[in-house]
C-alpha cells in the first residue's frame, strides 16, 4: 500500500496520533500495576490485548481499527465470545459470584487501561486513568463479580484518550447472570441478542474519520452512519418468537430515541444495573451514551418475510441552545436528533412458542431516601460550561485531585443532585448548554427524581426515560436537575464520576470522588 495514502487515510495515524502527540510522558501510577496473585483461584481467566488491526466492515475494504483480542486461559469456551467481522468485543458472559482474572496487555502505540463499566470493584480493578499502562505493559485484573444479573460493558479509560480509543473500536459487553434471573422465564441462547449501537464516519477509502475540528470536539463526535455490534447495515434474521434484546448505547456522544418502525411498543425489562421489578411498556426509550436497556420483543404473529426496523425517532437538536455552534466549523456527522435506521429484523422462520413474560422479574429494594445522611442537604454537581471548557462545579479533571465536597464515607448513603447549566457561568454559560450523560463509577444508584423541563426537547423525550431500576448512567438535559440515591459499600478509595459524552470526558468533564473508610 502507498505509505502516504495509508498515513493520510487512516484514523490510527491521523486523528488519534494527532491527539496523543500532545501527551507528555509524565510519570504515572502504573508502577503499582496490578500483578497476578497466586492465591487467587479464577473461574475464568483470559488474556485481553488491545491492538491495532484490520477488519472487513465493507466488501473488499480493510478498515483500520483498534480492537481487543483475547485468549482463553481457563474456563468455559462460551464465556468469552468473538464477534465476527467486527471491531467490537469480545462478549464476556459470567455468573454472579465467579472469580475473574484478566491479563490485560496493551499493544497500542499509546497508553490505555480497561474500565469495567457498571461493575462494583475496588479502586485498583476499576480502570482509573492513573493506572494506564504504556505499550507492551501488562495489568492484571482479579475480581469477583458482585453485581446482579445485567448488561455491563468494558472500554478504555486513559485520560484524554477515551474518545478516540473507543471510537477506534475498543469496547465489549460484560454480561452477568444470576440465580434470580435464571429462576424466571426469559428468552435464552440465540433468543438473547445484544445490540450495541454506535455511530461512525468513514471516508471514501472506508477508513474511520474522527474529529475534524475543535468545535466538533466541543459538541462531541457525531457520525453519519450507524453500526450495530460493530457492523454497518445490520440485519438480523429472526423467528416468530420472543427475543431479549440488550441495547447498549456505545456511541461517543449520540443520543437515541429508540422505537420500532411499525409502532409496536417497547417492553422494557431492565436498565443499566439489571432487571426491573416488573416490565414496563413504552412507545419509545431514550438511550444516552453508556446507558443500557433490556427489551422483550415478541415477533409472534408475524409472517415469513415480514420486516421490522429498530429506529431512532427525530427530536430537536439539543446541542447548544440557540444553535450557537451551528455555524461554526463544518460537520460531516448527522446532528443529534436526526431520524435514523438502527437495525432491521426479518422473519425467516415460523416457530410456535407461546411466550409469557413474567409479571414479576426481580426484587429491587424500595427507595429508602430517609436512610441518606444528607436528605435535606444534597451534594450538588453542576455540569456546565465555564471559560470555554466543560466543567463539573466549575472544575476540570485532575488525575488524583479531590475537592472537599467530593469526599464521602464508606457505609453511608447520600443524595446527590446533578444540575445542568446555570451557576456563575454568565451569559455564555447559559447559552452553551448541552445534554450531559452523567456516569458514576463503582456503584449502581437509584434515581429519586428528575425535574420537569419546559423545552421542546423535554416534550419530545419525556416519555422515554426509564428511571425506576438500578442505574449507573443517566441523561441530564439542559436546565434539568436529577437527584440520585447512592450507597458507598465494600470499597474505599478514589473513583470517577464524569460526563459520558466521551469528548466532554476527554476535555476534563470528569472528577474523582473519594470514599474514606
Ligand atoms: Cu463507561 Cu468512566 O466510564
Ligand atoms: Cu464506568
Ligand atoms: Cu457532557
Amino acid at each position: 500500500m502507498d505509505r502516504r495514502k495509508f498515513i493520510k487515510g487512516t484514523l490510527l495515524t491521523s486523528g488519534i496520533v494527532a491527539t496523543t502527540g500532545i501527551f507528555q510522558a509524565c510519570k504515572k501510577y502504573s508502577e503499582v500495576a496490578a500483578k497476578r496473585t497466586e492465591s487467587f483461584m479464577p473461574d475464568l481467566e483470559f488474556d485481553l490485548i488491545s491492538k491495532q488491526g484490520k477488519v472487513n466492515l465493507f466488501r473488499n475494504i480493510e478498515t483500520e481499527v483498534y480492537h481487543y483480542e483475547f485468549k482463553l486461559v481457563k474456563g468455559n469456551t462460551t464465556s468469552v465470545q468473538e464477534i465476527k467481522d467486527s471491531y467490537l468485543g469480545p462478549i464476556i458472559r459470567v455468573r454472579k459470584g465467579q472469580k475473574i482474572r484478566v491479563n490485560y496487555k496493551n499493544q497500542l502505540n499509546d497508553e490505555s487501561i480497561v474500565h469495567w463499566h457498571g461493575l462494583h470493584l475496588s479502586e485498583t480493578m476499576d480502570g482509573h486513568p492513573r493506572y494506564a499502562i504504556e505499550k507492551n505493559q501488562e495489568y492484571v485484573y482479579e475480581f469477583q463479580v458482585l453485581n446482579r444479573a445485567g448488561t455491563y460493558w468494558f472500554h478504555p479509560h486513559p485520560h484524554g484518550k477515551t474518545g478516540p480509543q473507543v471510537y477506534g473500536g475498543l469496547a465489549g459487553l460484560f454480561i452477568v447472570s444470576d440465580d434470580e434471573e435464571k429462576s424466571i422465564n426469559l428468552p435464552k441462547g440465540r433468543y438473547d441478542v445484544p445490540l450495541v449501537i454506535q455511530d461512525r464516519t468513514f471516508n471514501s477509502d472506508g477508513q474511520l474519520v474522527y474529529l475534524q475540528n475543535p468545535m466538533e470536539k466541543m459538541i462531541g463526535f457525531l457520525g453519519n452512519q450507524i453500526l450495530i455490534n460493530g457492523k454497518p447495515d445490520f440485519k438480523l434474521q429472526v423467528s416468530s418468537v420472543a427475543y431479549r434484546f440488550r441495547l447498549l448505547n456505545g456511541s461517543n456522544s449520540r443520543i437515541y430515541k429508540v422505537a420500532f418502525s411499525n409502532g409496536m411498543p417497547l417492553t422494557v425489562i431492565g436498565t443499566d444495573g439489571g432487571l426491573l421489578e416488573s416490565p414496563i411498556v413504552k412507545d419509545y426509550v431514550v438511550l444516552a451514551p453508556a446507558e443500557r436497556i433490556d427489551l422483550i420483543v415478541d415477533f409472534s404473529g408475524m409472517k415469513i418475510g415480514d420486516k421490522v426496523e429498530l429506529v431512532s425517532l427525530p427530536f430537536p437538536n439539543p446541542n447548544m441552545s440557540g444553535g450557537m455552534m451551528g455555524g461554526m466549523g463544518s460537520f460531516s456527522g448527522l446532528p443529534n436528533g436526526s431520524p435514523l435506521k438502527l437495525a432491521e429484523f426479518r422473519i425467516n422462520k415460523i416457530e410456535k412458542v407461546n411466550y409469557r413474560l413474567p409479571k414479576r422479574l426481580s426484587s429491587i429494594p424500595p427507595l429508602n431516601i430517609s436512610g441518606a445522611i444528607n436528605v435535606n442537604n444534597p451534594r450538588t454537581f453542576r455540569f456546565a460550561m465555564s471559560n470555554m471548557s466543560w466543567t463539573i462545579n466549575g472544575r476540570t479533571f485532575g488525575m488524583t485531585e479531590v475537592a472537599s465536597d467530593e469526599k464521602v464515607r464508606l457505609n453511608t448513603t447520600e443524595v446527590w443532585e446533578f444540575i445542568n447549566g446555570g451557576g456563575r457561568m454568565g451569559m455564555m454559560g447559559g447559552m452553551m448548554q448541552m445534554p450531559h450523560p452523567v456516569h458514576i463509577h463503582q456503584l449502581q444508584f437509584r434515581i429519586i427524581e428528575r425535574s420537569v423541563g419546559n423545552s421542546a426537547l423535554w416534550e419530545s423525550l419525556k416519555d422515554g426515560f426509564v428511571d425506576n431500576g438500578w442505574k449507573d448512567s443517566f441523561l441530564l438535559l439542559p436546565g434539568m436537575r436529577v437527584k440520585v440515591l447512592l450507597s458507598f459499600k465494600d470499597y474505599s478509595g478514589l473513583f470517577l464520576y464524569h460526563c459520558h459524552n466521551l469528548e466532554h470526558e476527554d476535555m476534563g468533564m470528569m472528577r474523582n470522588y473519594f470514599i474514606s473508610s
Side-chain angles (χ1 to χ4, degrees):
M1 192 196 245
D2 176 341
R3 174 95 187 135
R4 268 205 61 201
K5 183 161 171 242
F6 176 83
I7 288 174
K8 277 195 74 189
T10 63
L11 160 83
L12 305 180
T13 41
S14 58
I16 287 183
V17 175
T19 332
T20 56
I22 321 160
F23 176 70
Q24 243 98 85
C26 54
K27 268 274 155 262
K28 277 185 301 298
Y29 305 81
S30 45
E31 282 74 63
V32 300
K35 304 254 183 321
R36 62 188 284 140
T37 335
E38 292 313 323
S39 58
F40 184 86
M41 294 295 171
D43 301 295
L44 174 67
E45 176 175 353
F46 58 93
D47 297 343
L48 190 71
I49 305 123
S50 56
K51 59 193 296 188
Q52 300 189 11
K54 294 186 176 79
V55 64
N56 278 99
L57 300 177
F58 307 101
R59 230 185 335 153
N60 301 328
I61 295 176
E62 290 195 313
T63 303
E64 294 263 334
V65 294
Y66 290 155
H67 70 126
Y68 286 120
E69 238 178 50
F70 69 92
K71 205 155 93 229
L72 191 69
V73 178
K74 183 183 178 210
N76 202 317
T77 47
T78 55
S79 300
V80 191
Q81 183 197 337
E82 184 190 346
I83 308 174
K84 283 242 171 329
D85 292 324
S86 162
Y87 53 76
L88 210 71
I91 302 174
I92 299 165
R93 289 174 207 271
V94 301
R95 271 180 289 114
K96 181 179 178 177
Q98 282 191 318
K99 289 184 176 161
I100 318 291
R101 179 187 286 139
V102 183
N103 308 303
Y104 170 55
K105 296 174 176 137
N106 180 20
Q107 288 180 10
L108 302 174
N109 289 319
D110 202 355
E111 57 164 1
S112 197
I113 191 72
V114 180
H115 166 57
W116 312 91
H117 183 121
L119 293 192
H120 182 50
L121 299 173
S122 70
E123 59 174 354
T124 50
M125 295 296 119
D126 185 62
H128 189 285
R130 72 187 185 280
Y131 297 124
I133 54 168
E134 298 294 342
K135 185 175 188 174
N136 296 329
Q137 286 188 314
E138 189 177 1
Y139 196 99
V140 180
Y141 294 88
E142 289 174 337
F143 57 83
Q144 186 174 21
V145 178
L146 300 178
N147 286 66
R148 65 202 291 266
T151 310
Y152 307 94
W153 62 303
F154 59 97
H155 61 76
H157 221 304
H159 181 50
K161 301 156 190 176
T162 299
Q165 290 191 7
V166 172
Y167 184 76
L170 295 171
L173 288 164
F174 193 96
I175 296 175
V176 179
S177 65
D178 65 9
D179 293 340
E180 188 186 37
E181 184 193 54
K182 285 221 164 78
S183 72
I184 61 165
N185 180 21
L186 293 175
K188 288 171 192 61
R190 68 183 201 89
Y191 304 105
D192 177 352
V193 181
L195 299 171
V196 181
I197 311 170
Q198 296 177 310
D199 59 335
R200 297 287 185 268
T201 297
F202 297 92
N203 65 15
S204 51
D205 297 332
Q207 302 305 318
L208 285 164
V209 179
Y210 189 46
L211 302 172
Q212 292 168 293
N213 65 60
M215 271 309 148
E216 215 179 337
K217 188 163 185 179
M218 273 302 214
I219 288 176
F221 173 84
L222 292 166
N224 60 12
Q225 186 172 351
I226 297 298
L227 285 88
I228 299 285
N229 298 342
K231 296 174 195 190
D233 198 19
F234 183 87
K235 295 187 173 76
L236 189 70
Q237 311 275 7
V238 294
S239 303
S240 61
V241 291
Y243 281 76
R244 177 179 186 175
F245 285 165
R246 302 171 186 254
L247 272 52
L248 156 67
N249 182 352
S251 311
N252 283 34
S253 88
R254 186 176 294 280
I255 299 161
Y256 301 93
K257 182 178 176 180
V258 180
F260 283 108
S261 56
N262 62 355
M264 127 177 121
L266 293 101
T267 304
V268 181
I269 60 163
T271 52
D272 305 341
L275 294 173
L276 295 172
E277 197 142 51
S278 46
I280 57 169
V281 177
K282 295 258 178 198
D283 289 334
Y284 63 88
V285 165
V286 174
L287 206 60
E291 282 189 303
R292 286 87 72 203
I293 205 87
D294 213 329
L295 302 174
I296 295 293
V297 182
D298 197 342
F299 295 108
S300 64
M302 296 198 178
K303 301 184 297 296
I304 298 266
D306 279 359
K307 200 177 85 178
V308 184
E309 287 177 2
L310 192 71
V311 298
S312 184
L313 300 173
F315 56 90
N317 182 357
N319 296 343
M320 315 287 179
S321 53
M324 272 223 39
M325 300 306 213
M328 300 163 105
S330 63
F331 306 101
S332 53
L334 296 162
N336 236 328
S338 307
L340 299 161
K341 173 179 168 180
L342 305 177
E344 184 180 305
F345 307 100
R346 196 180 274 274
I347 315 294
N348 77 335
K349 194 171 169 203
I350 301 297
E351 285 179 54
K352 288 256 177 290
V353 188
N354 238 332
Y355 177 71
R356 268 184 177 280
L357 177 62
K359 286 206 169 57
R360 194 185 159 80
L361 300 167
S362 76
S363 70
I364 291 185
L367 200 62
N368 180 15
I369 300 159
S370 60
I373 58 170
N374 62 343
V375 194
N376 301 314
N377 183 29
R379 279 174 207 270
T380 54
F381 299 93
R382 220 173 259 284
F383 281 56
M385 178 160 281
S386 179
N387 299 322
M388 287 311 283
S389 44
W390 293 114
T391 58
I392 303 172
N393 282 346
R395 307 178 185 114
T396 52
F397 186 64
M399 194 57 89
T400 51
E401 225 179 273
V402 197
S404 58
D405 56 358
E406 294 172 314
K407 291 182 179 148
V408 299
R409 291 199 73 94
L410 191 63
N411 298 320
T412 60
T413 295
E414 292 202 7
V415 178
W416 285 12
E417 183 172 28
F418 294 86
I419 306 162
N420 186 334
R424 294 160 297 137
M425 308 307 164
M427 193 190 71
M428 287 298 275
M431 283 168 79
M432 295 206 187
Q433 285 190 5
M434 273 193 65
H436 299 292
V438 177
H439 169 51
I440 309 173
H441 276 222
Q442 203 259 6
L443 44 80
Q444 295 286 328
F445 53 80
R446 305 282 296 282
I447 294 183
I448 302 169
E449 61 186 32
R450 187 188 285 274
S451 72
V452 172
N454 58 1
S455 63
L457 181 60
W458 163 254
E459 284 305 318
S460 172
L461 299 180
K462 65 178 182 189
D463 296 326
F465 297 106
V466 184
D467 284 345
N468 52 347
W470 288 106
K471 299 284 291 168
D472 57 51
S473 309
F474 64 91
L475 184 61
L476 189 64
L477 291 177
M480 183 176 265
R481 291 167 169 262
V482 174
K483 269 191 196 167
V484 306
L485 185 71
L486 13 60
S487 296
F488 310 104
K489 286 185 224 155
D490 307 316
Y491 304 115
S492 55
L494 196 67
F495 298 96
L496 299 167
Y497 66 103
H498 59 89
C499 177
H500 218 288
N501 175 320
L502 298 183
E503 285 67 43
H504 291 186
E505 173 185 335
D506 281 348
M507 288 171 82
M509 199 178 217
M510 172 158 81
R511 292 287 301 172
N512 291 301
Y513 72 98
F514 184 74
I515 307 176
S516 68
S517 50

